[in-house]
Amino acid sequence: MPTKSQLIAAPLLAFATVAAATPAAATGEVIRIQRNPQAIILEAARVNAGADTIYVSGQLPSPLDPTMPMSAVTSIEQMGDTRQQTISTLAKIKDILETQGFTMADVVKLTLMVAADPRTGAMDFAGANAGYREFFGTAENPTTVARSTFQVAALVGPHYLIEIEAIAARAPTE
């Protein structure tokens, strides 16, 4: 019959053996998991402890006319369709990231909240994807990101069709 010490030691030895066989992740490493290279989104992103990470709050698009203040917008035509609003919103995220020393290639996760276009009564998923493809999986930025897309009943104003949150991570710079 095993002693109490042997009963405690056996599981610890098994754990130590598994831990030793598992490659250690580098501190601050960011791993993109993509088993299908044709997919436009990642399956997952692993961000190890020590990575430099930024969480970008939900961003909304700007009017098509950059000189027009949001308070002057009176129609959805002044904001554009879902594709145009996605491009505008991702451009804002790109600008925020750049002010903090990040790039769009550092983005690991996006959350898209898409409202139905009042002109069609439906969410334009294809338009959101078309806008997304202007920033990810391009010659300038070949990376893709883990992503979730939700259809929402409405956003904060009747002319908004999309809101996007972002998480970017990279190995720390020394």
Side-chain angles (χ1 to χ4, degrees):
M1 177 165 199
T3 67
K4 188 174 181 181
S5 295
Q6 289 170 325
L7 288 173
I8 293 171
L12 291 175
L13 179 60
F15 173 76
T17 302
V18 170
T22 305
T27 300
E29 186 177 24
V30 177
I31 302 165
R32 294 171 183 272
I33 301 163
Q34 180 69 301
R35 296 179 296 181
N36 178 357
Q38 306 308 314
I40 66 167
I41 62 173
L42 288 178
E43 289 182 89
R46 180 177 175 176
V47 179
N48 291 313
D52 191 6
T53 307
I54 184 170
Y55 299 85
V56 180
S57 294
Q59 298 297 308
L60 294 164
S62 296
L64 293 173
D65 177 354
T67 63
M68 176 181 279
M70 280 306 304
S71 59
V73 173
T74 58
S75 73
I76 195 155
E77 286 74 25
Q78 293 168 313
M79 295 297 294
D81 61 18
T82 301
R83 179 186 156 278
Q84 292 166 313
Q85 288 196 25
T86 301
I87 292 167
S88 172
T89 305
L90 288 172
K92 280 185 173 181
I93 290 170
K94 180 179 180 184
D95 182 57
I96 292 166
L97 292 173
E98 287 175 351
T99 66
Q100 299 304 306
F102 285 80
T103 70
M104 291 299 271
D106 296 319
V107 175
V108 294
K109 174 74 167 93
L110 290 175
T111 302
L112 283 65
M113 292 150 282
V114 186
D117 187 323
R119 297 169 290 195
T120 64
M123 172 181 83
D124 183 7
F125 186 68
N129 275 340
Y132 167 87
R133 285 187 180 120
E134 301 255 338
F135 291 84
F136 300 98
T138 66
E140 181 184 334
N141 177 19
T143 65
T144 57
V145 302
R147 192 182 90 184
S148 300
T149 304
F150 298 93
Q151 181 172 359
V152 296
L155 292 166
V156 298
H159 310 305
Y160 294 114
L161 300 177
I162 192 160
E163 181 173 341
I164 303 174
E165 298 175 344
I167 300 171
R170 64 176 183 207
T173 55
E174 314 263 341

